[in-house]
Amino acid sequence: MNKLPLLFCLFISVALISCSEEKVKPAIDKNIRVEELPAQESWNSRVIFSDSGKTKAVLETGHLRVFTEGQYTLLDEGVKVDFYDESEKISTVLTSLNGKVDDASQNLFAM
């Protein structure tokens, strides 16, 4: 007794039943405001600030979020900034748990 035609018919039936035109729409959370989301985000970041090819400061942070709408950057999970003198040697080290940078004035607030 050949079971191949029976299995083939069963397979075709299952395939036709499982195919449908119904489109599933994902759920959208209407409470999220795009303006409140960061434009950029990174972890374990290192940012080098320089002027005329000379390193002025090196910032390291565990979590960095840039908000272009409010023109500020949040620094979380530890912040360390090494400041360099004219001969590019570390002159000062600033550490904090968190920080905020006013992007318009480039002022850093360490907390």
Side-chain angles (χ1 to χ4, degrees):
M1 179 173 187
N2 192 355
K3 294 184 182 180
L4 189 58
L6 181 62
L7 288 174
F8 181 72
C9 288
L10 182 63
F11 175 75
I12 294 295
S13 299
V14 169
L16 289 176
I17 291 171
S18 65
C19 295
S20 69
E21 291 296 319
E22 181 182 346
K23 295 187 182 195
V24 179
K25 291 184 179 181
I28 298 174
D29 187 352
K30 304 259 184 204
N31 296 325
I32 296 176
R33 294 180 35 175
V34 175
E35 308 85 39
E36 296 174 357
L37 296 175
Q40 297 176 26
E41 187 171 21
S42 67
W43 287 264
N44 300 322
S45 301
R46 184 172 199 219
V47 181
I48 300 171
F49 299 91
S50 64
D51 183 23
S52 302
K54 290 189 172 187
T55 302
K56 296 294 183 180
V58 176
L59 174 123
E60 294 179 7
T61 184
H63 187 205
L64 182 141
R65 291 174 288 159
V66 178
F67 296 88
T68 53
E69 192 71 27
Q71 291 190 328
Y72 64 93
T73 300
L74 292 181
L75 311 168
D76 303 319
E77 300 180 18
V79 178
K80 178 184 174 197
V81 184
D82 294 327
F83 294 96
Y84 292 81
D85 61 15
E86 289 297 319
S87 59
E88 295 190 82
K89 293 182 182 174
I90 295 175
S91 62
T92 309
V93 178
L94 176 128
T95 59
S96 70
L97 295 175
N98 301 304
K100 181 177 181 179
V101 178
D102 180 336
D103 293 337
S105 67
Q106 292 297 308
N107 289 331
L108 168 67
F109 302 92
M111 298 161 271

